[in-house]
């Protein structure tokens, strides 16, 4: 079930996010911000599924700018949580 939801989430992001960060509208900027937050939450449940969500698949890729920002944010959050333990 989690895999299906993550794939649906990924498809929605591919459809809604512009290829170039410079083409972000207010609405798509809010979507990108919220999507990164949701990926953080997903990574807490399953890091593998979160990583799969931003990994290129079947010739469909998320915009590069989003993948870079999301991966940095997930790594930052992971490191921050490890430092607290």
């Amino acid at each position: 079930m989690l895999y299906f939801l993550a794939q649906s989430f990924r498809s929605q992001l591919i459809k809604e996010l512009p290829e170039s960060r410079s083409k972000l509208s207010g609405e798509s900027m809010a979507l990108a911000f919220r999507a990164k937050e949701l990926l953080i939450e997903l990574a807490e449940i399953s890091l593998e599924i979160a990583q799969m969500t931003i990994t290129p698949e079947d010739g469909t890729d998320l915009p590069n700018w989003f993948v870079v920002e999301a991966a940095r944010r997930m790594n930052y959050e992971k490191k921050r949580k490890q430092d607290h333990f």
Side-chain angles (χ1 to χ4, degrees):
M1 181 69 164
L2 185 59
Y3 176 80
F4 172 76
L5 291 172
Q7 287 296 90
S8 296
F9 177 49
R10 173 186 165 73
S11 294
Q12 189 68 23
L13 293 176
I14 289 170
K15 180 179 158 188
E16 305 258 342
L17 292 175
E19 196 60 39
S20 171
R21 193 177 203 305
S22 64
K23 294 182 180 176
L24 280 172
S25 65
E27 189 175 304
S28 58
M29 189 177 298
L31 172 64
F33 180 79
R34 181 67 179 135
K36 287 182 258 183
E37 294 296 319
L38 290 171
L39 282 168
I40 299 298
E41 290 180 32
L42 179 57
E44 291 175 5
I45 298 167
S46 171
L47 181 59
E48 181 180 0
I49 297 285
Q51 289 172 333
M52 179 237 21
T53 303
I54 62 172
T55 301
E57 181 179 288
D58 297 330
T60 57
D61 299 351
L62 286 163
N64 289 336
W65 63 267
F66 180 79
V67 173
V68 169
E69 290 177 14
R72 282 184 186 155
R73 186 75 193 280
M74 287 191 319
N75 287 334
Y76 171 79
E77 291 296 326
K78 181 181 171 187
K79 183 173 175 10
R80 190 173 69 87
K81 289 195 184 291
Q82 288 174 343
D83 290 346
H84 281 79
F85 291 106

